[in-house]
Amino acid sequence: NEIDSGTGDKTLSNFESYRVLAGERALKSADAKPPRAMRTIDLLRQPALRNQGELAWRLGLLFGATNLVLLGVGLSATNPRRASNWNLLLALLGFVVYYNLINLSTAWVAGGKLGLGAALLLLHGGVLVLSLALLWWRDHAQVMQLWTRGRARTTAA
C-alpha cells in the first residue's frame, strides 16, 4: 500500500509470487550451519577448530556431570554433629570453577591453543583424579585414625 501525501491517491500492489535474488556468497553462508546447530556426528566428520571446540563443550558437560557427582559424594561425607559445614561452600566453589574451566577449554580448543584430546584429558582427567583422591582420603581417614589411636595406646602401655 502506498499513499501519496500530496494528492491523497492510494496505490495497492498485488503479487502472485515474490522472490529475492541474493548473491552466491549469501547463499553459501545460509547453507553453513554454526557448530552449535550441528549434530554431534557431523562435528566428528568435519574436524574444523570451531567444530572441535563445540565437541569439547558437549563432551565436557558429559564428563563434567560425572566428575561433579563423584566430587559431591566425596564432599558430602561429614560428621552430622559438626556445627559448621564448609563442604557445601566447597562444592559450590568447585562447580563454579569447573564450569568456567570447561568454557575456557572450549575456547582454547576452538582457538587452536590446545587439542581436543589434550583438553579433555587435562581438565576432566585431572578433576577425576582429584575426585577419586578425595573419595580415597574420606574412606581411609577413619581407618587411619583408628590405626593411629590403636598404635598410640600400645606404645603408651
PDB file of all heavy atoms in Angstrom, residues 14-35:
ATOM      1  N   ASN A  14      -0.400  -6.011  -5.816  1.00  0.00           N
ATOM      2  CA  ASN A  14      -0.570  -7.436  -5.514  1.00  0.00           C
ATOM      3  C   ASN A  14       0.466  -8.229  -6.298  1.00  0.00           C
ATOM      4  O   ASN A  14       0.773  -7.898  -7.448  1.00  0.00           O
ATOM      5  CB  ASN A  14      -1.966  -7.918  -5.924  1.00  0.00           C
ATOM      6  CG  ASN A  14      -3.051  -7.335  -5.057  1.00  0.00           C
ATOM      7  OD1 ASN A  14      -2.845  -7.102  -3.883  1.00  0.00           O
ATOM      8  ND2 ASN A  14      -4.216  -7.095  -5.656  1.00  0.00           N
ATOM      9  N   PHE A  15       0.982  -9.284  -5.665  1.00  0.00           N
ATOM     10  CA  PHE A  15       1.948 -10.156  -6.311  1.00  0.00           C
ATOM     11  C   PHE A  15       1.471 -11.589  -6.203  1.00  0.00           C
ATOM     12  O   PHE A  15       1.000 -12.026  -5.157  1.00  0.00           O
ATOM     13  CB  PHE A  15       3.329 -10.052  -5.632  1.00  0.00           C
ATOM     14  CG  PHE A  15       3.926  -8.687  -5.689  1.00  0.00           C
ATOM     15  CD1 PHE A  15       3.804  -7.815  -4.625  1.00  0.00           C
ATOM     16  CD2 PHE A  15       4.616  -8.263  -6.816  1.00  0.00           C
ATOM     17  CE1 PHE A  15       4.362  -6.568  -4.666  1.00  0.00           C
ATOM     18  CE2 PHE A  15       5.168  -7.004  -6.863  1.00  0.00           C
ATOM     19  CZ  PHE A  15       5.055  -6.147  -5.792  1.00  0.00           C
ATOM     20  N   GLU A  16       1.609 -12.330  -7.306  1.00  0.00           N
ATOM     21  CA  GLU A  16       1.300 -13.753  -7.235  1.00  0.00           C
ATOM     22  C   GLU A  16       2.448 -14.523  -6.613  1.00  0.00           C
ATOM     23  O   GLU A  16       2.244 -15.497  -5.914  1.00  0.00           O
ATOM     24  CB  GLU A  16       1.008 -14.290  -8.643  1.00  0.00           C
ATOM     25  CG  GLU A  16      -0.328 -13.825  -9.177  1.00  0.00           C
ATOM     26  CD  GLU A  16      -0.638 -14.446 -10.523  1.00  0.00           C
ATOM     27  OE1 GLU A  16      -0.157 -15.556 -10.780  1.00  0.00           O
ATOM     28  OE2 GLU A  16      -1.340 -13.810 -11.290  1.00  0.00           O
ATOM     29  N   SER A  17       3.667 -14.090  -6.885  1.00  0.00           N
ATOM     30  CA  SER A  17       4.847 -14.684  -6.247  1.00  0.00           C
ATOM     31  C   SER A  17       5.870 -13.579  -6.026  1.00  0.00           C
ATOM     32  O   SER A  17       5.896 -12.584  -6.751  1.00  0.00           O
ATOM     33  CB  SER A  17       5.428 -15.805  -7.108  1.00  0.00           C
ATOM     34  OG  SER A  17       5.942 -15.274  -8.303  1.00  0.00           O
ATOM     35  N   TYR A  18       6.715 -13.806  -5.027  1.00  0.00           N
ATOM     36  CA  TYR A  18       7.715 -12.813  -4.666  1.00  0.00           C
ATOM     37  C   TYR A  18       9.021 -13.546  -4.389  1.00  0.00           C
ATOM     38  O   TYR A  18       9.063 -14.489  -3.602  1.00  0.00           O
ATOM     39  CB  TYR A  18       7.260 -12.050  -3.414  1.00  0.00           C
ATOM     40  CG  TYR A  18       8.245 -11.020  -2.943  1.00  0.00           C
ATOM     41  CD1 TYR A  18       8.419  -9.831  -3.640  1.00  0.00           C
ATOM     42  CD2 TYR A  18       9.004 -11.233  -1.800  1.00  0.00           C
ATOM     43  CE1 TYR A  18       9.321  -8.888  -3.204  1.00  0.00           C
ATOM     44  CE2 TYR A  18       9.907 -10.293  -1.357  1.00  0.00           C
ATOM     45  CZ  TYR A  18      10.066  -9.116  -2.062  1.00  0.00           C
ATOM     46  OH  TYR A  18      10.966  -8.176  -1.649  1.00  0.00           O
ATOM     47  N   ARG A  19      10.067 -13.135  -5.078  1.00  0.00           N
ATOM     48  CA  ARG A  19      11.369 -13.769  -4.892  1.00  0.00           C
ATOM     49  C   ARG A  19      12.424 -12.695  -4.712  1.00  0.00           C
ATOM     50  O   ARG A  19      12.340 -11.627  -5.296  1.00  0.00           O
ATOM     51  CB  ARG A  19      11.738 -14.617  -6.103  1.00  0.00           C
ATOM     52  CG  ARG A  19      10.854 -15.811  -6.282  1.00  0.00           C
ATOM     53  CD  ARG A  19      11.323 -16.620  -7.442  1.00  0.00           C
ATOM     54  NE  ARG A  19      10.398 -17.707  -7.657  1.00  0.00           N
ATOM     55  CZ  ARG A  19      10.507 -18.575  -8.614  1.00  0.00           C
ATOM     56  NH1 ARG A  19      11.494 -18.488  -9.477  1.00  0.00           N
ATOM     57  NH2 ARG A  19       9.632 -19.533  -8.751  1.00  0.00           N
ATOM     58  N   VAL A  20      13.432 -13.062  -3.908  1.00  0.00           N
ATOM     59  CA  VAL A  20      14.570 -12.181  -3.717  1.00  0.00           C
ATOM     60  C   VAL A  20      15.801 -12.928  -4.204  1.00  0.00           C
ATOM     61  O   VAL A  20      16.050 -14.069  -3.796  1.00  0.00           O
ATOM     62  CB  VAL A  20      14.734 -11.793  -2.231  1.00  0.00           C
ATOM     63  CG1 VAL A  20      15.993 -10.979  -2.030  1.00  0.00           C
ATOM     64  CG2 VAL A  20      13.525 -11.051  -1.741  1.00  0.00           C
ATOM     65  N   LEU A  21      16.543 -12.318  -5.073  1.00  0.00           N
ATOM     66  CA  LEU A  21      17.749 -12.934  -5.594  1.00  0.00           C
ATOM     67  C   LEU A  21      18.939 -12.427  -4.792  1.00  0.00           C
ATOM     68  O   LEU A  21      19.157 -11.219  -4.691  1.00  0.00           O
ATOM     69  CB  LEU A  21      17.927 -12.588  -7.083  1.00  0.00           C
ATOM     70  CG  LEU A  21      19.144 -13.197  -7.759  1.00  0.00           C
ATOM     71  CD1 LEU A  21      19.070 -14.712  -7.709  1.00  0.00           C
ATOM     72  CD2 LEU A  21      19.239 -12.728  -9.196  1.00  0.00           C
ATOM     73  N   ALA A  22      19.673 -13.349  -4.201  1.00  0.00           N
ATOM     74  CA  ALA A  22      20.852 -12.991  -3.417  1.00  0.00           C
ATOM     75  C   ALA A  22      22.085 -13.510  -4.135  1.00  0.00           C
ATOM     76  O   ALA A  22      22.004 -14.418  -4.956  1.00  0.00           O
ATOM     77  CB  ALA A  22      20.760 -13.587  -2.027  1.00  0.00           C
ATOM     78  N   GLY A  23      23.220 -12.968  -3.803  1.00  0.00           N
ATOM     79  CA  GLY A  23      24.461 -13.417  -4.417  1.00  0.00           C
ATOM     80  C   GLY A  23      24.853 -14.804  -3.933  1.00  0.00           C
ATOM     81  O   GLY A  23      24.306 -15.343  -2.972  1.00  0.00           O
ATOM     82  N   GLU A  24      25.830 -15.395  -4.620  1.00  0.00           N
ATOM     83  CA  GLU A  24      26.287 -16.731  -4.260  1.00  0.00           C
ATOM     84  C   GLU A  24      26.879 -16.756  -2.845  1.00  0.00           C
ATOM     85  O   GLU A  24      26.731 -17.738  -2.132  1.00  0.00           O
ATOM     86  CB  GLU A  24      27.360 -17.208  -5.244  1.00  0.00           C
ATOM     87  CG  GLU A  24      26.824 -17.565  -6.593  1.00  0.00           C
ATOM     88  CD  GLU A  24      27.929 -18.065  -7.506  1.00  0.00           C
ATOM     89  OE1 GLU A  24      28.922 -18.608  -6.980  1.00  0.00           O
ATOM     90  OE2 GLU A  24      27.804 -17.911  -8.704  1.00  0.00           O
ATOM     91  N   ARG A  25      27.530 -15.697  -2.481  1.00  0.00           N
ATOM     92  CA  ARG A  25      28.162 -15.638  -1.167  1.00  0.00           C
ATOM     93  C   ARG A  25      27.115 -15.724  -0.051  1.00  0.00           C
ATOM     94  O   ARG A  25      27.311 -16.410   0.942  1.00  0.00           O
ATOM     95  CB  ARG A  25      28.950 -14.343  -1.051  1.00  0.00           C
ATOM     96  CG  ARG A  25      29.807 -14.255   0.137  1.00  0.00           C
ATOM     97  CD  ARG A  25      30.655 -13.022   0.056  1.00  0.00           C
ATOM     98  NE  ARG A  25      31.610 -13.014   1.139  1.00  0.00           N
ATOM     99  CZ  ARG A  25      32.386 -12.016   1.426  1.00  0.00           C
ATOM    100  NH1 ARG A  25      32.343 -10.921   0.705  1.00  0.00           N
ATOM    101  NH2 ARG A  25      33.224 -12.078   2.425  1.00  0.00           N
ATOM    102  N   ALA A  26      26.009 -15.038  -0.226  1.00  0.00           N
ATOM    103  CA  ALA A  26      24.946 -15.077   0.768  1.00  0.00           C
ATOM    104  C   ALA A  26      24.303 -16.459   0.816  1.00  0.00           C
ATOM    105  O   ALA A  26      23.940 -16.943   1.891  1.00  0.00           O
ATOM    106  CB  ALA A  26      23.898 -14.017   0.469  1.00  0.00           C
ATOM    107  N   LEU A  27      24.162 -17.112  -0.327  1.00  0.00           N
ATOM    108  CA  LEU A  27      23.573 -18.448  -0.349  1.00  0.00           C
ATOM    109  C   LEU A  27      24.485 -19.472   0.315  1.00  0.00           C
ATOM    110  O   LEU A  27      24.019 -20.353   1.027  1.00  0.00           O
ATOM    111  CB  LEU A  27      23.283 -18.866  -1.795  1.00  0.00           C
ATOM    112  CG  LEU A  27      22.161 -18.099  -2.502  1.00  0.00           C
ATOM    113  CD1 LEU A  27      22.057 -18.531  -3.952  1.00  0.00           C
ATOM    114  CD2 LEU A  27      20.848 -18.322  -1.789  1.00  0.00           C
ATOM    115  N   LYS A  28      25.790 -19.359   0.108  1.00  0.00           N
ATOM    116  CA  LYS A  28      26.720 -20.292   0.733  1.00  0.00           C
ATOM    117  C   LYS A  28      26.728 -20.126   2.252  1.00  0.00           C
ATOM    118  O   LYS A  28      26.772 -21.100   2.987  1.00  0.00           O
ATOM    119  CB  LYS A  28      28.128 -20.080   0.192  1.00  0.00           C
ATOM    120  CG  LYS A  28      28.312 -20.609  -1.200  1.00  0.00           C
ATOM    121  CD  LYS A  28      29.736 -20.402  -1.675  1.00  0.00           C
ATOM    122  CE  LYS A  28      29.881 -20.848  -3.111  1.00  0.00           C
ATOM    123  NZ  LYS A  28      31.233 -20.587  -3.635  1.00  0.00           N
ATOM    124  N   SER A  29      26.677 -18.894   2.724  1.00  0.00           N
ATOM    125  CA  SER A  29      26.682 -18.683   4.172  1.00  0.00           C
ATOM    126  C   SER A  29      25.363 -19.104   4.803  1.00  0.00           C
ATOM    127  O   SER A  29      25.324 -19.450   5.974  1.00  0.00           O
ATOM    128  CB  SER A  29      26.986 -17.224   4.495  1.00  0.00           C
ATOM    129  OG  SER A  29      25.925 -16.406   4.055  1.00  0.00           O
ATOM    130  N   ALA A  30      24.274 -19.089   4.029  1.00  0.00           N
ATOM    131  CA  ALA A  30      22.994 -19.534   4.570  1.00  0.00           C
ATOM    132  C   ALA A  30      22.978 -21.049   4.737  1.00  0.00           C
ATOM    133  O   ALA A  30      22.323 -21.573   5.638  1.00  0.00           O
ATOM    134  CB  ALA A  30      21.849 -19.102   3.663  1.00  0.00           C
ATOM    135  N   ASP A  31      23.713 -21.772   3.884  1.00  0.00           N
ATOM    136  CA  ASP A  31      23.753 -23.230   3.987  1.00  0.00           C
ATOM    137  C   ASP A  31      24.654 -23.702   5.128  1.00  0.00           C
ATOM    138  O   ASP A  31      24.427 -24.758   5.699  1.00  0.00           O
ATOM    139  CB  ASP A  31      24.246 -23.837   2.672  1.00  0.00           C
ATOM    140  CG  ASP A  31      23.217 -23.695   1.563  1.00  0.00           C
ATOM    141  OD1 ASP A  31      22.023 -23.537   1.886  1.00  0.00           O
ATOM    142  OD2 ASP A  31      23.609 -23.738   0.379  1.00  0.00           O
ATOM    143  N   ALA A  32      25.671 -22.929   5.465  1.00  0.00           N
ATOM    144  CA  ALA A  32      26.602 -23.332   6.522  1.00  0.00           C
ATOM    145  C   ALA A  32      25.970 -23.108   7.887  1.00  0.00           C
ATOM    146  O   ALA A  32      25.558 -22.003   8.221  1.00  0.00           O
ATOM    147  CB  ALA A  32      27.897 -22.542   6.409  1.00  0.00           C
ATOM    148  N   LYS A  33      25.904 -24.170   8.660  1.00  0.00           N
ATOM    149  CA  LYS A  33      25.324 -24.075   9.991  1.00  0.00           C
ATOM    150  C   LYS A  33      26.413 -23.721  10.999  1.00  0.00           C
ATOM    151  O   LYS A  33      27.546 -24.143  10.857  1.00  0.00           O
ATOM    152  CB  LYS A  33      24.719 -25.414  10.402  1.00  0.00           C
ATOM    153  CG  LYS A  33      23.492 -25.808   9.653  1.00  0.00           C
ATOM    154  CD  LYS A  33      23.000 -27.129  10.194  1.00  0.00           C
ATOM    155  CE  LYS A  33      21.797 -27.629   9.444  1.00  0.00           C
ATOM    156  NZ  LYS A  33      21.367 -28.939   9.944  1.00  0.00           N
ATOM    157  N   PRO A  34      26.067 -22.986  12.042  1.00  0.00           N
ATOM    158  CA  PRO A  34      27.043 -22.785  13.120  1.00  0.00           C
ATOM    159  C   PRO A  34      27.252 -24.098  13.870  1.00  0.00           C
ATOM    160  O   PRO A  34      26.374 -24.969  13.871  1.00  0.00           O
ATOM    161  CB  PRO A  34      26.386 -21.722  13.998  1.00  0.00           C
ATOM    162  CG  PRO A  34      24.947 -21.788  13.685  1.00  0.00           C
ATOM    163  CD  PRO A  34      24.825 -22.255  12.267  1.00  0.00           C
ATOM    164  N   PRO A  35      28.396 -24.264  14.517  1.00  0.00           N
ATOM    165  CA  PRO A  35      28.663 -25.539  15.201  1.00  0.00           C
ATOM    166  C   PRO A  35      27.631 -25.909  16.259  1.00  0.00           C
ATOM    167  O   PRO A  35      27.361 -27.083  16.467  1.00  0.00           O
ATOM    168  CB  PRO A  35      30.039 -25.319  15.832  1.00  0.00           C
ATOM    169  CG  PRO A  35      30.680 -24.275  15.014  1.00  0.00           C
ATOM    170  CD  PRO A  35      29.563 -23.393  14.537  1.00  0.00           C
TER     171      PRO A  35
END
